[in-house]
């Protein structure tokens, strides 16, 4: 666990390709359960791809597969592989919630190792677990005294960024 990062201003004017390295982005509207596509070069071209019956607070893509978003469904605690064009669930496996009165809030995939990491929180503390996408088995990774992690992602390396809504802080895990 590293100290909270200081505010950093990124100036992409010297190399704008860093800002728009992908030609599109795919998101999950957690309020409407719709998957959508964003064109970072023209936000007016944002389009809704499809609806989905899965309810998720977070999702990620495995390296090399931009056609499927992995999520943990908050309704049934299943790790699901969603087709971003149809919203249909392909693979689905139960993932036990590791804490009492908690909920899964983050699913992110390490872009270097390919490992799936889930974060569960209960408003008092948060836990990170490695999730086996085939069996649904959990391997405890780290318990954090961070009360309400609600968002997180890996960078292109091995740094995990987590956002805690209770304290309004960003944390970096290496």
């Amino acid at each position: 666990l590293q100290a909270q990062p200081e505010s950093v201003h990124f100036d992409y004017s010297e190399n704008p390709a860093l800002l728009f390295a992908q030609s599109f982005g795919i998101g999950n509207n957690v309020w409407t359960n719709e998957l959508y596509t964003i064109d970072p070069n023209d936000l007016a071209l944002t389009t809704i791809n499809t609806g989905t019956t899965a309810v998720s607070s977070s999702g990620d893509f495995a390296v090399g597969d931009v056609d499927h978003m992995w999520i943990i469904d908050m309704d049934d605690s299943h790790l699901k592989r969603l087709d971003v064009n149809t919203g249909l669930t392909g693979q689905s496996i139960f993932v036990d919630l590791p804490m009492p009165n908690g909920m899964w809030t983050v699913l992110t995939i390490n872009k270097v190792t390919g490992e799936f990491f889930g974060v569960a929180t209960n408003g008092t503390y948060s836990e990170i677990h490695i999730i086996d996408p085939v069996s649904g088995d959990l391997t405890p990774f780290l318990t954090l005294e961070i009360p309400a992690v609600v968002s997180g992602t890996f960078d292109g390396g091995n740094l995990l960024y987590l956002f805690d809504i209770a304290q309004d802080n960003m944390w970096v895990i290496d």
Side-chain angles (χ1 to χ4, degrees):
L1 183 64
Q2 296 179 350
Q4 299 170 344
E6 293 185 27
S7 178
V8 177
H9 174 75
F10 292 99
D11 183 0
Y12 294 99
S13 61
E14 294 176 17
N15 188 354
L18 292 175
L19 182 59
F20 301 120
Q22 296 290 328
S23 59
F24 64 92
I26 296 176
N28 174 19
N29 184 330
V30 298
W31 295 109
T32 62
N33 289 335
E34 294 172 319
L35 301 175
Y36 59 92
T37 301
I38 302 168
D39 182 336
N41 297 308
D42 186 352
L43 298 180
L45 297 178
T46 299
T47 57
I48 295 172
N49 295 358
T50 186
T52 179
T53 58
V55 178
S56 170
S57 62
S58 178
D60 204 353
F61 294 86
V63 175
D65 184 5
V66 297
D67 294 322
H68 299 93
M69 179 184 287
W70 288 88
I71 60 107
I72 299 177
D73 193 321
M74 293 170 33
D75 281 345
D76 62 11
S77 198
H78 276 73
L79 175 68
K80 296 180 178 180
R81 183 175 173 246
L82 300 179
D83 183 304
V84 297
N85 296 304
T86 65
L88 297 176
T89 299
Q91 181 177 343
S92 177
I93 187 80
F94 179 75
V95 178
D96 195 25
L97 186 60
M99 61 176 40
N101 303 316
M103 62 185 285
W104 288 109
T105 56
V106 174
L107 176 70
T108 185
I109 300 171
N110 184 309
K111 304 307 183 234
V112 175
T113 67
E115 291 175 303
F116 286 53
F117 285 77
V119 179
T121 187
N122 63 9
T124 303
Y125 65 97
S126 301
E127 294 182 354
I128 304 173
H129 292 265
I130 298 172
I131 302 171
D132 183 320
V134 176
S135 68
D137 291 343
L138 301 177
T139 301
F141 184 75
L142 188 61
T143 298
L144 304 167
E145 293 181 17
I146 302 173
V149 172
V150 295
S151 183
T153 191
F154 277 97
D155 64 7
N158 282 314
L159 292 179
L160 174 59
Y161 292 81
L162 299 175
F163 176 70
D164 169 47
I165 198 168
Q167 301 171 352
D168 197 25
N169 286 323
M170 184 69 104
W171 298 90
V172 180
I173 311 294
D174 62 357

